[in-house]
Amino acid sequence: MQREKSESFFSKAQQLIPGGVNSPVRACKSVGCNPLFIERAVGSKIYDVDGNEFIDFVCSWGPMILGHNHPAVVEAVQKALANGTSFGAPTPLEVELAELVTEALPAVEKVRFVNSGTEATMSAIRLARGYTGKNVVVKFDGCYHGHADSFLVKAGSGLITLGIPGTPGVPEDIVKNTVSIPYNNIDILEKTLRDDSLDIACVIIEPVAANMGVVLPQPNFLQKLRDLTSELGILLIFDEVITGFRLSYGGAQEKFNIMPDLTCMGKIIGGGLPVGAYGGKKEIMAHIAPEGPVYQAGTLSGNPLAMAAGVATLKILKEPGFYQALNDKAEKFANELQQLAAKYIPQSTLNRAGSVMTTFFTGKPVTDFDSAMKADTEKYSFFYREMLNQGIYLAPSQFEGTFISAAQSENDLAKTLEKTEWVFRKMTSR
Ligand code: KE4
């Protein structure tokens, strides 16, 4: 595979940008190769600067559920662009997206748009602290909520990938207000929430974890979490940056019928442009400035181009049958992938939630951070590189998701399975 242009861009980028990338996990450090520089993408395909074509399962880490450059999204952004790019003032488009989001998510009565998932979660915990007057945030080992200080405690995504459980630069008195406990462990959850020495403002959770690889909530874990937080006056925050508009049009809160107090969103609601959002009950959101005293702001919040992309995307997702078709396609692919894995790589397990999944190279079930960490990352690294050589673009980390998009054709998926079988066979003869 030709990589000369990517290599030359990467060496120049490393002189100018830390690690040569604008987000650590993109550096492909954990999978033993250098990143490809992308020139363009359309539908299910992504093309690097050397002209190599790949079937894309990263989907920009989730946003591209429709595939790349969907005509309706492109048209909507071009139409908005003709009117200008940023005004720093309200526009009709943000009202339209707010209407779509609050109609879709049963627990979201009011919503505030920001520019990233990190801004959404950072703002949501500030609101929870301001609303409750308490300070402690409870999160779960291996969950990732963006890179705000309070979340960089036993966090997932790039921190697991790079083996940096915490990070310098986060003051001790921030860390002491974050308690991280194991996902799916009801006993520790109850003990922690009932600990009177902790003045807990909120619990934040990925209702389906996807940053230690995909890890599903065990039956009644989320219900127990909701019951305990309601009983104890602790706000429950669902971080639906990945699950929102991914698992269903109403996200995980609709799928599991569990209503959080606040919901964080990102990725899909921007249709590929920078958007995050947080929302919830009117009574809680009323505490956000200028309605209330909890401050949060942003120059580009509600950017019209991003709003246009989000509106165009959600209008397509809202169409009857969209999720049924996507999830059926994902289930069929996952079943066939599991059959191949059982045949060639018995020490593997596949976790899937709708159209996002992870194949872990471990023979044990993966139900939390500790069991995810038992996966053979060297095996994943070999698998990643070989699949890339076969034209399949996967997440450069064992601890991320594989995303199915509406644009991937039956032929794309059949080809991917054929390539996977070839690579699995190669792995057995290593
Ligand atoms: P951003 O600030 O990256 O837009 O969103 C942070 C975030 C918050 N919550 C969840 C559940 C998330 O998954 C994320 C970001 N996801 C990672 C990949 N799993 C972003 C990829 C990257 O960091 O480059």
Side-chain angles (χ1 to χ4, degrees), residues 254-320:
E254 178 189 79
K255 177 182 169 64
F256 296 115
N257 192 25
I258 305 267
M259 297 300 124
D261 299 298
L262 292 173
T263 301
C264 302
M265 294 151 269
K267 297 184 192 272
I268 289 174
I269 64 166
L273 271 71
V275 179
Y278 62 101
K281 294 173 182 163
K282 278 184 177 150
E283 185 246 332
I284 300 173
M285 292 300 288
H287 284 67
I288 286 289
E291 212 173 315
V294 179
Y295 195 70
Q296 177 269 312
T299 303
L300 294 171
S301 296
N303 173 270
L305 304 193
M307 296 293 105
V311 166
T313 298
L314 264 56
K315 280 181 174 175
I316 295 168
L317 299 180
K318 192 176 176 183
E319 285 164 11

Side-chain angles (χ1 to χ4, degrees), residues 23 25 61 116-118 144-146 157 206 211 239 241-242 267 400:
S23 197
V25 73
W61 306 95
S116 69
T118 295
Y144 177 72
H145 305 290
S157 188
E206 289 182 67
N211 285 289
D239 177 349
V241 168
I242 285 186
K267 297 184 192 272
E400 295 287 353

Side-chain angles (χ1 to χ4, degrees), residues 44-292:
S44 62
K45 304 299 184 302
I46 193 163
Y47 302 84
D48 70 14
V49 291
D50 290 289
N52 298 305
E53 177 186 286
F54 304 90
I55 302 172
D56 180 24
F57 289 88
V58 177
C59 299
S60 182
W61 306 95
M64 311 319 291
I65 191 168
L66 298 181
H68 295 281
N69 259 20
H70 188 289
V73 177
V74 172
E75 187 188 345
V77 173
Q78 285 174 334
K79 187 164 169 247
L81 178 60
N83 294 331
T85 54
S86 179
F87 315 119
T91 71
L93 281 164
E94 62 206 70
V95 178
E96 193 174 359
L97 188 56
E99 206 162 20
L100 284 165
V101 166
T102 53
E103 275 169 4
L105 298 177
V108 179
E109 295 175 338
K110 267 194 169 176
V111 63
R112 168 64 64 84
F113 293 113
V114 292
N115 297 286
S116 69
T118 295
E119 268 194 271
T121 54
M122 177 177 80
S123 309
I125 63 167
R126 181 183 306 137
L127 171 57
R129 286 169 162 158
Y131 179 77
T132 62
K134 301 176 180 177
N135 292 324
V136 171
V137 170
V138 175
K139 68 176 286 295
F140 293 87
D141 302 346
C143 284
Y144 177 72
H145 305 290
H147 65 88
D149 284 354
S150 296
F151 301 123
L152 297 179
V153 175
K154 289 199 87 171
S157 188
L159 291 112
I160 304 185
T161 301
L162 299 173
I164 43 177
T167 172
V170 181
E172 189 42 45
D173 61 6
I174 296 268
V175 171
K176 77 168 190 283
N177 280 316
T178 300
V179 173
S180 194
I181 57 177
Y183 201 82
N184 275 326
N185 186 316
I186 287 182
D187 293 344
I188 294 180
L189 171 67
E190 179 148 21
K191 188 167 171 294
T192 304
L193 299 194
R194 292 192 186 285
D195 179 343
D196 295 335
S197 72
L198 295 172
D199 66 330
I200 301 171
C202 60
V203 177
I204 185 167
I205 189 167
E206 289 182 67
V208 170
N211 285 289
M212 47 181 140
V214 173
V215 172
L216 294 153
Q218 298 204 323
N220 91 351
F221 176 65
L222 293 176
Q223 188 57 58
K224 185 69 180 171
L225 173 60
R226 177 65 283 181
D227 295 346
L228 280 167
T229 47
S230 299
E231 177 200 334
L232 298 166
I234 296 169
L235 291 193
L236 177 57
I237 303 176
F238 269 12
D239 177 349
E240 295 224 42
V241 168
I242 285 186
T243 56
F245 298 95
R246 169 60 64 178
L247 300 190
S248 76
Y249 193 62
Q253 57 198 250
E254 178 189 79
K255 177 182 169 64
F256 296 115
N257 192 25
I258 305 267
M259 297 300 124
D261 299 298
L262 292 173
T263 301
C264 302
M265 294 151 269
K267 297 184 192 272
I268 289 174
I269 64 166
L273 271 71
V275 179
Y278 62 101
K281 294 173 182 163
K282 278 184 177 150
E283 185 246 332
I284 300 173
M285 292 300 288
H287 284 67
I288 286 289
E291 212 173 315

